[in-house]
Amino acid sequence: MAIELKRYEHNPIVTPADVPPSSPDLEVIGAFNAGAALVGDEIVLLLRVAERPISADSRRVGIPRVDLSETGGHIEVEWVDRDVPELDLSDPRGILYKGRQYLSSVSHLRVARSRDGFHFAIDPKPTVVPSTPYEVYGVEDPRITPIDGAYYVSYTAVSPMGVCVPLLRTTDFVHFERLGVIFPPENKNVVLFPDRSSGRYAAFHRPAGSAFGSTPDIWLAYSPDLLHWGDHRRLMGTRAGMWDAGRIGGGAVPIETPKGWLAIYHAAVGSRYCLGTVLLDREAPHRVLGRSVDPIMTPIEPYERAGFFGSVVFTCGAVRRSDDEVLVYYGAGDSTLGVAMTSVSELLETVEPVSALTAA
Amino acid sequence: MAIELKRYEHNPIVTPADVPPSSPDLEVIGAFNAGAALVGDEIVLLLRVAERPISADSRRVGIPRVDLSETGGHIEVEWVDRDVPELDLSDPRGILYKGRQYLSSVSHLRVARSRDGFHFAIDPKPTVVPSTPYEVYGVEDPRITPIDGAYYVSYTAVSPMGVCVPLLRTTDFVHFERLGVIFPPENKNVVLFPDRSSGRYAAFHRPAGSAFGSTPDIWLAYSPDLLHWGDHRRLMGTRAGMWDAGRIGGGAVPIETPKGWLAIYHAAVGSRYCLGTVLLDREAPHRVLGRSVDPIMTPIEPYERAGFFGSVVFTCGAVRRSDDEVLVYYGAGDSTLGVAMTSVSELLETVEPVSALTAA
C-alpha cells in the first residue's frame, strides 16, 4: 500500500536558530538527523548539529578545526585571509588550505528532551564532540538503541582517514563511555537492533559501493557482544528504475513486531532522499520478508526541499510511544528536524512480500 | 639496516606451467601469492591460481563465469563472438558483456606440499573454489594462521558487491569449514595473528582509501573469537617520498619474537611492490615499535619484473622453520612463486625504532 506519512502540523520542530552554537565564532547551519529514544517518560534526541565559522569579515575565511588536545576535544576556528594563494574554496563542501583538506562545517551531537515528543528543550552545550583522530571532520547521524537498560549510540565519524562508525554507551545521556570503532572505513548508517536474534545481536551497515561500480547496499552483521562484528551479509540492494535506485542505507532502529523486525530505511536517487520500509525475519534478520514498493515519505514540504544539496527526508530514529503509535524523527532538507506520526500497523501495511530475488 | 633478502637460486619454485588448469577450457596464467604454514613436517602452501579462457579461436572470446549452482561451485567459460556489439574488451583486466562486468581471469586456491620448502607437489585439482555470491570474480591472496591446532585461512573474495574477506578453518587442508565474511567491502590483506594479545586475537586489515583522498593504510582489529572483529584502529600509513608512499597492506602472518610481533608488509608506489618489516608491541599490537626505513625486498630479478601490471614482490606467507630460520614465500611479477631465505634475527635488524609520529 502506498502512503505518505502524516507530518506534525508545526514542523519543523527544531531549526538551527533553536540551537546555541558551541562557540561565538560559529553559527549553526543544521540541526537535523537525530537519533531518538524513549527514556523513562521522556523522548531524548541526539541532534546532529552542523556548525560553520561566522562570516563576519568578507576578507577572511574561517576554517573549522577540531582540537583534540583537551579532554573531549572542541571545535575552533582558524581565520585566513581570503586572498592567500594556499586557499582553495572551489568546492562548497570543503576547504583546501596549505595542501590539507577541511570541511566547511563540522558536526557534533546535542541532547534535546521532550515529554510530548513535539516540543524539545535543547541543551545549551554540545553533548558529544569530536574527540578522537577518527572524528576531526565531525560526528554525524547518530542512532540510539536501547539494550538491557543502557543506550548504545552508533554514529558516523569523519576524518581524513575516512568515514567509520564508533560506538558509545550511556545510561543518562550525560556520561558516555567510548567503546571504540566498530565498523572501519568506508562505512556509515550503522543501526543496532534492540534485541538478539537467535542469540546474536544484529546491525545494519552500509559499506561504500564497490570498485566494480555497484551501488551502495545495506549489509547485515552479527555480534555476540555489540563490540565485535562478523558474519557480514549483503542484505538488500537498490532497485533499478525505482525511488531507491541510487543508494540505500539503514535509518531508524528496527521495531519488533509479531511479523518480524520492521525497519525504516532511506534511499536516494541523485540527491533526492526518501524513506521506505523493510520487514526482516525475527530470528534470522538477514532474511528479507518484505519491502515497500513505494516510499512511505518523500520530500514534499517546503522545508524538506530547501536543502543545499537536494530534497531530503532522512531518519535516524523512530520512537514507539505506545503499543501501536510511532513517531518518526527525520532530518528535513539537511537543515531542520521534523516529526511524522504513524503506527506499527500502518507501517506493516506498506510492506509487500518479496521474493528473495526481487529483494536482492 | 638496509638488506635485500637472499633468493633461492632456483626461483621461481612454482610457475603457471606447473599447475594443471581446473578445466580444459582454461589456462593457468598465475600461480603466486601463496599462504604458507608448517603442518607437521611439511610446508603447505595455498597458491593463488589465476586462470583465463584459452584463446584457441581468435574469432571468439571466452568469458570466465563462476557457477554457484553446484556444491562448491566451479568456473565455466562462456564463448562469445568477438564482433558482437554488446562486448567491450577495452580494459585488459575486465570484460564488459551485455552490460555486465566480468574479470578476464578468475582465481582459486590450490594446495601444494613440500618437505624441504623448495620442491612442491601441487594438487592436480583446485582446493578452494569460488562458492558464494561474494566470490563470483574469484578467491585470492590467502593467509594461513595456525591457532590451537587448526589453520585459519583469510582470503580476498571478489564479486560485483566488492572486495571482502571471508574466513575458512581446516585441520587437514582437505576439508574446509566456511566461517562467513569477517571483513565487509572494501577490504583486503586481512592477516590473523597466531596468538592472543592481552586476551584478544588481532588482525591486520586494509580498508580502501578514503573519500578524502587518503592513501590506503593498514588497520588493526581485535576479536574475542576470530569470527567477530572490533576496536578498529588505524595502525600505520604510507610514508611520503619513501618506497611505501603509495599504499601498504599486511603481508605474512606475524612472528612472535622476544621484542614483539614481527611482520612483513607490502607497499607499492605506482605498480612497483616491495616488502618491509614492522615490529609491534606483543600485548598491544596496535602500538608500532619499529619499522624498516628501507625495503627488505625489491623487485630486481627478471621473473619479479615480468608482471603484466608492474614489478612485484608480494608475500602472503612466511614460515619459521626453526627457531631462527624463516622462509618467505612471495608472488613474483603477479605470475610465479619465489622463496627467499632469512632469519628472525636478520629481520629484527631491519627494524628501526620509530616515534609514534613517524610510524603514523
Side-chain angles (χ1 to χ4, degrees), chain A residues 101 134 158-162 181-182 184-186 205 207 210 212 214 219 222 224 227-234, chain B residues 101 134 158-162 181-182 184-186 205 207 210 212 214 219 222 224 227-234:
Chain A
Q101 218 173 352
Y134 306 104
V158 188
S159 81
M161 291 180 262
V181 172
I182 57 172
E186 296 286 314
H205 62 104
S210 87
F212 301 103
S214 74
W219 287 56
Y222 288 104
L227 304 179
H228 305 89
W229 294 87
D231 199 7
H232 299 273
R233 298 154 188 254
R234 177 174 171 278
Chain B
Q101 217 173 352
Y134 305 103
V158 188
S159 81
M161 289 180 264
V181 172
I182 56 170
E186 297 282 316
H205 63 104
S210 86
F212 301 103
S214 73
W219 286 56
Y222 288 104
L227 304 180
H228 305 89
W229 294 87
D231 200 5
H232 299 272
R233 297 154 188 254
R234 176 172 171 279

Short mmCIF file of all heavy atoms in Angstrom, two decimals, chain A residues 101 134 158-162 181-182 184-186 205 207 210 212 214 219 222 224 227-234, chain B residues 101 134 158-162 181-182 184-186 205 207 210 212 214 219 222 224 227-234:
data_model
loop_
_atom_site.label_atom_id
_atom_site.label_comp_id
_atom_site.label_asym_id
_atom_site.label_seq_id
_atom_site.Cartn_x
_atom_site.Cartn_y
_atom_site.Cartn_z
N GLN A 101 42.95 19.21 3.59
CA GLN A 101 41.54 19.38 3.36
C GLN A 101 40.80 19.62 4.67
O GLN A 101 41.10 19.00 5.69
CB GLN A 101 40.99 18.12 2.69
CG GLN A 101 39.95 18.43 1.64
CD GLN A 101 39.53 17.20 0.87
OE1 GLN A 101 40.12 16.13 1.00
NE2 GLN A 101 38.50 17.35 0.06
N TYR A 134 39.70 9.92 14.59
CA TYR A 134 38.73 9.44 13.60
C TYR A 134 37.59 10.43 13.41
O TYR A 134 36.70 10.20 12.59
CB TYR A 134 38.16 8.08 14.03
CG TYR A 134 39.25 7.07 14.29
CD1 TYR A 134 39.61 6.72 15.58
CD2 TYR A 134 39.96 6.50 13.24
CE1 TYR A 134 40.65 5.84 15.83
CE2 TYR A 134 41.00 5.61 13.46
CZ TYR A 134 41.34 5.29 14.76
OH TYR A 134 42.37 4.42 14.99
N VAL A 158 33.94 11.19 10.90
CA VAL A 158 34.54 11.60 9.63
C VAL A 158 35.91 12.21 9.89
O VAL A 158 36.07 13.04 10.79
CB VAL A 158 33.63 12.62 8.91
CG1 VAL A 158 34.14 12.90 7.50
CG2 VAL A 158 32.19 12.12 8.85
N SER A 159 36.89 11.77 9.14
CA SER A 159 38.26 12.28 9.28
C SER A 159 38.99 12.06 7.96
O SER A 159 38.46 11.39 7.06
CB SER A 159 38.99 11.54 10.40
OG SER A 159 39.47 10.28 9.95
N PRO A 160 40.22 12.58 7.84
CA PRO A 160 40.97 12.27 6.60
C PRO A 160 41.17 10.77 6.40
O PRO A 160 41.43 10.33 5.29
CB PRO A 160 42.32 12.98 6.85
CG PRO A 160 42.03 14.06 7.83
CD PRO A 160 40.95 13.51 8.72
N MET A 161 41.06 9.96 7.48
CA MET A 161 41.19 8.50 7.35
C MET A 161 39.96 7.86 6.74
O MET A 161 39.96 6.66 6.46
CB MET A 161 41.46 7.88 8.71
CG MET A 161 42.82 8.21 9.27
SD MET A 161 43.03 7.44 10.89
CE MET A 161 42.64 8.80 11.98
N GLY A 162 38.89 8.64 6.60
CA GLY A 162 37.69 8.10 6.00
C GLY A 162 36.50 8.24 6.92
O GLY A 162 36.53 8.96 7.92
N VAL A 181 35.92 1.93 17.63
CA VAL A 181 35.38 1.90 16.26
C VAL A 181 34.87 0.49 15.98
O VAL A 181 35.64 -0.47 16.05
CB VAL A 181 36.45 2.32 15.24
CG1 VAL A 181 35.95 2.10 13.81
CG2 VAL A 181 36.87 3.77 15.45
N ILE A 182 33.58 0.36 15.71
CA ILE A 182 33.04 -0.99 15.47
C ILE A 182 32.95 -1.33 13.98
O ILE A 182 32.90 -2.50 13.63
CB ILE A 182 31.67 -1.19 16.15
CG1 ILE A 182 30.63 -0.14 15.72
CG2 ILE A 182 31.84 -1.20 17.68
CD1 ILE A 182 29.21 -0.44 16.22
N PRO A 184 35.04 -0.26 10.38
CA PRO A 184 36.11 0.56 9.79
C PRO A 184 35.63 1.24 8.50
O PRO A 184 34.54 0.95 8.01
CB PRO A 184 37.20 -0.48 9.49
CG PRO A 184 36.46 -1.75 9.24
CD PRO A 184 35.26 -1.70 10.15
N PRO A 185 36.42 2.17 7.95
CA PRO A 185 36.02 2.86 6.72
C PRO A 185 35.92 1.88 5.54
O PRO A 185 36.56 0.83 5.58
CB PRO A 185 37.14 3.86 6.47
CG PRO A 185 38.14 3.69 7.56
CD PRO A 185 37.75 2.54 8.40
N GLU A 186 35.22 2.28 4.46
CA GLU A 186 34.24 3.33 4.40
C GLU A 186 32.91 2.72 4.79
O GLU A 186 32.41 1.84 4.10
CB GLU A 186 34.16 3.88 2.97
CG GLU A 186 35.44 4.54 2.48
CD GLU A 186 35.63 5.92 3.15
OE1 GLU A 186 34.66 6.69 3.20
OE2 GLU A 186 36.72 6.17 3.62
N HIS A 205 24.56 -2.16 8.30
CA HIS A 205 25.64 -1.23 7.99
C HIS A 205 25.65 -0.98 6.49
O HIS A 205 24.96 -1.67 5.74
CB HIS A 205 26.99 -1.70 8.53
CG HIS A 205 27.53 -3.00 7.99
ND1 HIS A 205 28.55 -3.04 7.07
CD2 HIS A 205 27.21 -4.28 8.28
CE1 HIS A 205 28.84 -4.32 6.82
NE2 HIS A 205 28.05 -5.09 7.54
N PRO A 207 28.43 -0.32 3.71
CA PRO A 207 29.75 -0.07 3.12
C PRO A 207 29.60 0.79 1.86
O PRO A 207 28.52 0.83 1.26
CB PRO A 207 30.24 -1.47 2.74
CG PRO A 207 29.31 -2.44 3.41
CD PRO A 207 28.02 -1.73 3.62
N SER A 210 31.20 -0.64 -4.46
CA SER A 210 32.43 -1.36 -4.79
C SER A 210 33.17 -0.73 -5.97
O SER A 210 32.63 0.10 -6.69
CB SER A 210 32.11 -2.80 -5.13
OG SER A 210 31.79 -2.93 -6.49
N PHE A 212 33.69 -2.10 -8.54
CA PHE A 212 33.10 -2.58 -9.79
C PHE A 212 31.86 -1.78 -10.16
O PHE A 212 31.05 -2.22 -10.99
CB PHE A 212 32.79 -4.07 -9.70
CG PHE A 212 33.99 -4.88 -9.41
CD1 PHE A 212 34.21 -5.39 -8.15
CD2 PHE A 212 34.95 -5.11 -10.38
CE1 PHE A 212 35.36 -6.11 -7.86
CE2 PHE A 212 36.10 -5.83 -10.12
CZ PHE A 212 36.30 -6.34 -8.85
N SER A 214 29.18 -1.07 -8.40
CA SER A 214 27.88 -1.40 -7.83
C SER A 214 27.41 -0.25 -6.95
O SER A 214 28.20 0.54 -6.45
CB SER A 214 27.97 -2.68 -7.00
OG SER A 214 28.63 -2.45 -5.78
N TRP A 219 24.06 -3.90 4.28
CA TRP A 219 24.54 -5.19 4.76
C TRP A 219 24.04 -5.41 6.17
O TRP A 219 23.66 -4.46 6.87
CB TRP A 219 26.08 -5.22 4.73
CG TRP A 219 26.67 -5.33 3.36
CD1 TRP A 219 26.46 -4.49 2.30
CD2 TRP A 219 27.59 -6.32 2.90
NE1 TRP A 219 27.18 -4.91 1.21
CE2 TRP A 219 27.89 -6.03 1.54
CE3 TRP A 219 28.20 -7.44 3.48
CZ2 TRP A 219 28.76 -6.81 0.79
CZ3 TRP A 219 29.07 -8.20 2.73
CH2 TRP A 219 29.35 -7.90 1.39
N TYR A 222 26.41 -9.63 12.44
CA TYR A 222 26.02 -10.19 13.74
C TYR A 222 27.14 -9.99 14.76
O TYR A 222 28.31 -9.85 14.39
CB TYR A 222 25.71 -11.68 13.60
CG TYR A 222 24.42 -11.97 12.87
CD1 TYR A 222 24.42 -12.41 11.55
CD2 TYR A 222 23.19 -11.81 13.51
CE1 TYR A 222 23.23 -12.69 10.88
CE2 TYR A 222 22.00 -12.08 12.85
CZ TYR A 222 22.02 -12.52 11.55
OH TYR A 222 20.84 -12.79 10.90
N PRO A 224 28.31 -11.08 19.10
CA PRO A 224 27.96 -11.69 20.39
C PRO A 224 27.87 -10.64 21.51
O PRO A 224 27.30 -10.92 22.55
CB PRO A 224 29.14 -12.64 20.64
CG PRO A 224 30.29 -12.01 19.93
CD PRO A 224 29.71 -11.28 18.74
N LEU A 227 30.31 -5.23 20.44
CA LEU A 227 31.61 -4.59 20.19
C LEU A 227 32.34 -5.17 18.99
O LEU A 227 33.12 -4.48 18.34
CB LEU A 227 32.51 -4.74 21.42
CG LEU A 227 31.94 -4.21 22.73
CD1 LEU A 227 32.93 -4.43 23.86
CD2 LEU A 227 31.60 -2.73 22.59
N HIS A 228 32.12 -6.45 18.73
CA HIS A 228 32.83 -7.15 17.66
C HIS A 228 31.79 -7.70 16.69
O HIS A 228 30.82 -8.34 17.12
CB HIS A 228 33.68 -8.29 18.24
CG HIS A 228 34.65 -7.83 19.30
ND1 HIS A 228 34.30 -7.77 20.63
CD2 HIS A 228 35.92 -7.38 19.21
CE1 HIS A 228 35.34 -7.31 21.33
NE2 HIS A 228 36.32 -7.07 20.50
N TRP A 229 32.01 -7.49 15.39
CA TRP A 229 31.00 -7.81 14.38
C TRP A 229 31.55 -8.72 13.30
O TRP A 229 32.70 -8.58 12.88
CB TRP A 229 30.48 -6.50 13.77
CG TRP A 229 29.73 -5.72 14.81
CD1 TRP A 229 30.25 -4.82 15.70
CD2 TRP A 229 28.33 -5.83 15.14
NE1 TRP A 229 29.26 -4.36 16.55
CE2 TRP A 229 28.08 -4.95 16.22
CE3 TRP A 229 27.27 -6.58 14.60
CZ2 TRP A 229 26.80 -4.82 16.78
CZ3 TRP A 229 26.01 -6.42 15.15
CH2 TRP A 229 25.79 -5.56 16.23
N GLY A 230 30.72 -9.66 12.86
CA GLY A 230 31.13 -10.60 11.83
C GLY A 230 29.93 -11.17 11.10
O GLY A 230 28.82 -10.65 11.21
N ASP A 231 30.17 -12.26 10.36
CA ASP A 231 29.11 -12.92 9.58
C ASP A 231 28.37 -11.90 8.72
O ASP A 231 27.14 -11.89 8.66
CB ASP A 231 28.15 -13.66 10.51
CG ASP A 231 27.34 -14.73 9.76
OD1 ASP A 231 27.62 -14.96 8.57
OD2 ASP A 231 26.42 -15.31 10.37
N HIS A 232 29.15 -11.05 8.07
CA HIS A 232 28.60 -9.98 7.24
C HIS A 232 27.88 -10.55 6.02
O HIS A 232 28.42 -11.42 5.34
CB HIS A 232 29.71 -9.05 6.77
CG HIS A 232 30.45 -8.37 7.88
ND1 HIS A 232 30.03 -7.19 8.44
CD2 HIS A 232 31.57 -8.72 8.56
CE1 HIS A 232 30.87 -6.84 9.40
NE2 HIS A 232 31.81 -7.74 9.50
N ARG A 233 26.67 -10.04 5.77
CA ARG A 233 25.91 -10.48 4.60
C ARG A 233 25.28 -9.27 3.93
O ARG A 233 24.73 -8.40 4.60
CB ARG A 233 24.78 -11.42 5.03
CG ARG A 233 25.26 -12.69 5.69
CD ARG A 233 24.19 -13.22 6.61
NE ARG A 233 24.65 -14.34 7.41
CZ ARG A 233 24.29 -15.60 7.19
NH1 ARG A 233 23.46 -15.90 6.21
NH2 ARG A 233 24.73 -16.56 7.97
N ARG A 234 25.35 -9.26 2.63
CA ARG A 234 24.63 -8.22 1.90
C ARG A 234 23.15 -8.49 2.06
O ARG A 234 22.67 -9.58 1.77
CB ARG A 234 25.01 -8.25 0.42
CG ARG A 234 24.23 -7.23 -0.42
CD ARG A 234 24.77 -7.23 -1.83
NE ARG A 234 23.95 -6.45 -2.74
CZ ARG A 234 22.85 -6.89 -3.33
NH1 ARG A 234 22.38 -8.10 -3.08
NH2 ARG A 234 22.19 -6.13 -4.18
N GLN B 101 29.76 -6.82 -15.93
CA GLN B 101 31.20 -6.85 -15.89
C GLN B 101 31.70 -8.23 -15.50
O GLN B 101 31.12 -8.89 -14.63
CB GLN B 101 31.69 -5.82 -14.85
CG GLN B 101 32.96 -5.13 -15.29
CD GLN B 101 33.35 -4.01 -14.36
OE1 GLN B 101 32.61 -3.64 -13.45
NE2 GLN B 101 34.52 -3.46 -14.57
N TYR B 134 29.72 -13.85 -2.91
CA TYR B 134 30.78 -12.88 -2.64
C TYR B 134 32.07 -13.21 -3.40
O TYR B 134 33.05 -12.48 -3.30
CB TYR B 134 31.09 -12.83 -1.13
CG TYR B 134 29.86 -12.55 -0.31
CD1 TYR B 134 29.21 -13.57 0.39
CD2 TYR B 134 29.30 -11.28 -0.29
CE1 TYR B 134 28.05 -13.32 1.10
CE2 TYR B 134 28.13 -11.02 0.41
CZ TYR B 134 27.52 -12.05 1.10
OH TYR B 134 26.37 -11.79 1.79
N VAL B 158 36.18 -11.67 -4.32
CA VAL B 158 35.89 -10.59 -5.25
C VAL B 158 34.58 -10.89 -5.97
O VAL B 158 34.36 -12.01 -6.44
CB VAL B 158 37.05 -10.42 -6.27
CG1 VAL B 158 36.85 -9.17 -7.11
CG2 VAL B 158 38.39 -10.37 -5.56
N SER B 159 33.71 -9.90 -6.02
CA SER B 159 32.41 -10.04 -6.68
C SER B 159 31.93 -8.66 -7.07
O SER B 159 32.53 -7.66 -6.69
CB SER B 159 31.40 -10.71 -5.75
OG SER B 159 30.86 -9.77 -4.85
N PRO B 160 30.81 -8.58 -7.82
CA PRO B 160 30.28 -7.25 -8.12
C PRO B 160 29.92 -6.47 -6.85
O PRO B 160 29.82 -5.25 -6.88
CB PRO B 160 29.01 -7.56 -8.93
CG PRO B 160 29.25 -8.91 -9.51
CD PRO B 160 30.08 -9.65 -8.50
N MET B 161 29.73 -7.16 -5.71
CA MET B 161 29.43 -6.48 -4.45
C MET B 161 30.67 -5.83 -3.84
O MET B 161 30.56 -5.12 -2.85
CB MET B 161 28.86 -7.48 -3.45
CG MET B 161 27.46 -7.93 -3.79
SD MET B 161 26.86 -9.11 -2.55
CE MET B 161 27.23 -10.67 -3.35
N GLY B 162 31.83 -6.14 -4.41
CA GLY B 162 33.05 -5.54 -3.89
C GLY B 162 34.07 -6.59 -3.48
O GLY B 162 33.94 -7.78 -3.80
N VAL B 181 31.85 -14.11 6.17
CA VAL B 181 32.63 -12.91 5.82
C VAL B 181 32.98 -12.19 7.12
O VAL B 181 32.09 -11.80 7.88
CB VAL B 181 31.82 -11.98 4.89
CG1 VAL B 181 32.54 -10.65 4.68
CG2 VAL B 181 31.56 -12.68 3.55
N ILE B 182 34.28 -12.05 7.39
CA ILE B 182 34.69 -11.38 8.63
C ILE B 182 35.01 -9.90 8.44
O ILE B 182 35.00 -9.14 9.40
CB ILE B 182 35.87 -12.11 9.32
CG1 ILE B 182 37.08 -12.25 8.39
CG2 ILE B 182 35.43 -13.48 9.83
CD1 ILE B 182 38.35 -12.76 9.11
N PRO B 184 33.78 -6.73 5.81
CA PRO B 184 32.95 -6.37 4.65
C PRO B 184 33.74 -5.50 3.66
O PRO B 184 34.85 -5.06 3.97
CB PRO B 184 31.80 -5.59 5.28
CG PRO B 184 32.39 -4.97 6.52
CD PRO B 184 33.42 -5.96 7.01
N PRO B 185 33.18 -5.26 2.48
CA PRO B 185 33.88 -4.42 1.49
C PRO B 185 34.07 -3.00 2.00
O PRO B 185 33.29 -2.55 2.83
CB PRO B 185 32.95 -4.42 0.28
CG PRO B 185 31.79 -5.28 0.61
CD PRO B 185 31.84 -5.62 2.04
N GLU B 186 35.02 -2.23 1.39
CA GLU B 186 36.10 -2.70 0.57
C GLU B 186 37.26 -3.00 1.50
O GLU B 186 37.77 -2.09 2.13
CB GLU B 186 36.51 -1.63 -0.46
CG GLU B 186 35.44 -1.29 -1.45
CD GLU B 186 35.34 -2.37 -2.52
OE1 GLU B 186 36.39 -2.81 -3.01
OE2 GLU B 186 34.21 -2.78 -2.80
N HIS B 205 44.13 -5.42 8.78
CA HIS B 205 43.26 -5.34 7.61
C HIS B 205 43.56 -4.07 6.86
O HIS B 205 44.26 -3.19 7.35
CB HIS B 205 41.78 -5.50 7.97
CG HIS B 205 41.18 -4.47 8.87
ND1 HIS B 205 40.36 -3.47 8.40
CD2 HIS B 205 41.27 -4.28 10.20
CE1 HIS B 205 39.97 -2.72 9.43
NE2 HIS B 205 40.50 -3.19 10.54
N PRO B 207 41.44 -1.43 4.75
CA PRO B 207 40.30 -0.82 4.07
C PRO B 207 40.80 -0.01 2.87
O PRO B 207 41.95 0.40 2.82
CB PRO B 207 39.72 0.13 5.14
CG PRO B 207 40.37 -0.23 6.43
CD PRO B 207 41.68 -0.86 6.08
N SER B 210 40.22 6.53 1.64
CA SER B 210 39.00 7.26 1.95
C SER B 210 38.58 8.20 0.83
O SER B 210 39.33 8.49 -0.09
CB SER B 210 39.19 8.08 3.22
OG SER B 210 39.77 9.34 2.92
N PHE B 212 38.40 11.18 1.12
CA PHE B 212 39.14 12.42 1.23
C PHE B 212 40.52 12.32 0.61
O PHE B 212 41.39 13.14 0.87
CB PHE B 212 39.23 12.85 2.69
CG PHE B 212 37.89 13.03 3.31
CD1 PHE B 212 37.36 12.08 4.15
CD2 PHE B 212 37.13 14.15 2.99
CE1 PHE B 212 36.10 12.24 4.70
CE2 PHE B 212 35.87 14.31 3.53
CZ PHE B 212 35.35 13.35 4.38
N SER B 214 42.88 10.06 1.05
CA SER B 214 43.99 9.49 1.79
C SER B 214 44.44 8.20 1.12
O SER B 214 43.68 7.55 0.41
CB SER B 214 43.59 9.21 3.24
OG SER B 214 42.73 8.10 3.31
N TRP B 219 45.16 -1.15 9.03
CA TRP B 219 44.43 -1.03 10.30
C TRP B 219 44.62 -2.31 11.09
O TRP B 219 44.99 -3.37 10.55
CB TRP B 219 42.94 -0.80 10.03
CG TRP B 219 42.60 0.58 9.54
CD1 TRP B 219 43.13 1.21 8.43
CD2 TRP B 219 41.67 1.50 10.11
NE1 TRP B 219 42.57 2.47 8.30
CE2 TRP B 219 41.67 2.67 9.32
CE3 TRP B 219 40.83 1.45 11.22
CZ2 TRP B 219 40.86 3.77 9.59
CZ3 TRP B 219 40.03 2.54 11.51
CH2 TRP B 219 40.05 3.70 10.70
N TYR B 222 40.62 -6.17 16.73
CA TYR B 222 40.68 -7.20 17.76
C TYR B 222 39.43 -8.07 17.74
O TYR B 222 38.38 -7.64 17.27
CB TYR B 222 40.83 -6.55 19.14
CG TYR B 222 42.19 -5.94 19.39
CD1 TYR B 222 42.37 -4.57 19.33
CD2 TYR B 222 43.29 -6.75 19.69
CE1 TYR B 222 43.63 -4.00 19.58
CE2 TYR B 222 44.54 -6.19 19.94
CZ TYR B 222 44.70 -4.82 19.88
OH TYR B 222 45.94 -4.27 20.13
N PRO B 224 37.37 -11.49 20.04
CA PRO B 224 37.39 -12.49 21.12
C PRO B 224 37.41 -13.92 20.58
O PRO B 224 37.73 -14.85 21.31
CB PRO B 224 36.08 -12.22 21.88
CG PRO B 224 35.16 -11.64 20.84
CD PRO B 224 36.03 -10.90 19.86
N LEU B 227 35.90 -14.68 14.77
CA LEU B 227 34.77 -14.53 13.86
C LEU B 227 34.20 -13.12 13.84
O LEU B 227 33.65 -12.68 12.84
CB LEU B 227 33.63 -15.50 14.26
CG LEU B 227 34.01 -16.97 14.35
CD1 LEU B 227 32.79 -17.79 14.76
CD2 LEU B 227 34.56 -17.46 13.02
N HIS B 228 34.29 -12.44 14.97
CA HIS B 228 33.71 -11.10 15.10
C HIS B 228 34.82 -10.13 15.47
O HIS B 228 35.59 -10.40 16.39
CB HIS B 228 32.63 -11.10 16.19
CG HIS B 228 31.55 -12.12 15.96
ND1 HIS B 228 31.66 -13.41 16.44
CD2 HIS B 228 30.39 -12.06 15.28
CE1 HIS B 228 30.58 -14.09 16.08
NE2 HIS B 228 29.79 -13.30 15.37
N TRP B 229 34.88 -8.99 14.77
CA TRP B 229 36.01 -8.07 14.89
C TRP B 229 35.56 -6.68 15.24
O TRP B 229 34.53 -6.20 14.76
CB TRP B 229 36.82 -8.08 13.58
CG TRP B 229 37.45 -9.42 13.36
CD1 TRP B 229 36.88 -10.51 12.75
CD2 TRP B 229 38.73 -9.84 13.83
NE1 TRP B 229 37.75 -11.58 12.82
CE2 TRP B 229 38.89 -11.20 13.46
CE3 TRP B 229 39.76 -9.20 14.53
CZ2 TRP B 229 40.05 -11.92 13.78
CZ3 TRP B 229 40.91 -9.92 14.82
CH2 TRP B 229 41.05 -11.27 14.45
N GLY B 230 36.33 -6.02 16.11
CA GLY B 230 36.00 -4.66 16.52
C GLY B 230 37.24 -3.93 17.01
O GLY B 230 38.36 -4.36 16.77
N ASP B 231 37.01 -2.80 17.73
CA ASP B 231 38.09 -1.97 18.25
C ASP B 231 39.11 -1.66 17.15
O ASP B 231 40.33 -1.77 17.34
CB ASP B 231 38.77 -2.67 19.44
CG ASP B 231 39.55 -1.68 20.30
OD1 ASP B 231 39.48 -0.46 20.05
OD2 ASP B 231 40.27 -2.14 21.22
N HIS B 232 38.57 -1.26 15.99
CA HIS B 232 39.41 -0.99 14.83
C HIS B 232 40.26 0.25 15.05
O HIS B 232 39.74 1.28 15.50
CB HIS B 232 38.53 -0.78 13.59
CG HIS B 232 37.69 -1.96 13.23
ND1 HIS B 232 38.15 -2.97 12.42
CD2 HIS B 232 36.44 -2.32 13.59
CE1 HIS B 232 37.20 -3.89 12.27
NE2 HIS B 232 36.15 -3.51 12.98
N ARG B 233 41.53 0.14 14.72
CA ARG B 233 42.44 1.28 14.85
C ARG B 233 43.33 1.36 13.63
O ARG B 233 43.86 0.35 13.17
CB ARG B 233 43.35 1.09 16.07
CG ARG B 233 42.61 1.04 17.39
CD ARG B 233 43.41 0.24 18.39
NE ARG B 233 42.67 -0.01 19.61
CZ ARG B 233 42.91 0.61 20.77
NH1 ARG B 233 43.85 1.52 20.83
NH2 ARG B 233 42.22 0.32 21.84
N ARG B 234 43.53 2.57 13.14
CA ARG B 234 44.50 2.75 12.07
C ARG B 234 45.87 2.50 12.65
O ARG B 234 46.27 3.12 13.64
CB ARG B 234 44.41 4.15 11.51
CG ARG B 234 45.46 4.46 10.44
CD ARG B 234 45.17 5.79 9.82
NE ARG B 234 46.23 6.24 8.94
CZ ARG B 234 47.35 6.83 9.34
NH1 ARG B 234 47.56 7.02 10.64
NH2 ARG B 234 48.24 7.25 8.47
#
